[in-house]
Amino acid sequence: MKTGHGEERDGTGEEAAAEGAAATEGRAGTGAVAGVAAAAAAASYPIAPGVQLNVRSGPGTWYSIVRVLPAGSRVTITCQRPGTNVAGPYGTTTLWDNIANGQYVSDAYVYTGSNGYVAPRCS
């Protein structure tokens, strides 16, 4: 296989792994930490501007409110599941986002850039 530098590779990926290890030598752990931080940042979504969002104990409006997110908050979605139909700034949906153990918000108030699932389904 040709690389961008005119070298031949056998396609096993061993050379790339060795080069990657050599490139990060002397910066112990920074690659892993940066990767985790990037993943966490990528999974953080803003709630609708100016909205104080009710966080409920389950995926529906009949569940109790466990706290209220202040305007300007961002949420990390761990999983998603269907629940009560809700109309909000980002459309009407039955999709609910699990943001922590026993804490759900309607996806109609979270800007994910999608009308569907952006995280695994809750089990």
Side-chain angles (χ1 to χ4, degrees), residues 8-104:
E8 289 286 327
R9 296 224 173 143
D10 65 8
T12 63
E14 291 175 17
E15 297 91 346
E19 286 176 6
T24 59
E25 187 176 349
R27 296 179 301 198
T30 57
V33 171
V36 170
S44 176
Y45 302 97
I47 65 170
V51 171
Q52 293 180 330
L53 186 58
N54 291 335
V55 179
R56 297 187 176 269
S57 61
T61 55
W62 62 86
Y63 286 92
S64 62
I65 297 171
V66 295
R67 66 183 174 124
V68 178
L69 295 175
S73 294
R74 296 181 70 86
V75 295
T76 299
I77 301 171
T78 58
C79 63
Q80 295 175 294
R81 70 176 353 139
T84 303
N85 195 45
V86 174
Y90 301 121
T92 301
T93 184
T94 60
L95 194 58
W96 285 74
D97 305 330
N98 179 260
I99 60 170
N101 188 27
Q103 297 184 27
Y104 291 84

Side-chain angles (χ1 to χ4, degrees), residues 105-122:
V105 295
S106 171
D107 197 63
Y109 288 88
V110 180
Y111 184 76
T112 62
S114 171
N115 288 331
Y117 286 85
V118 296
R121 289 180 184 241
C122 300

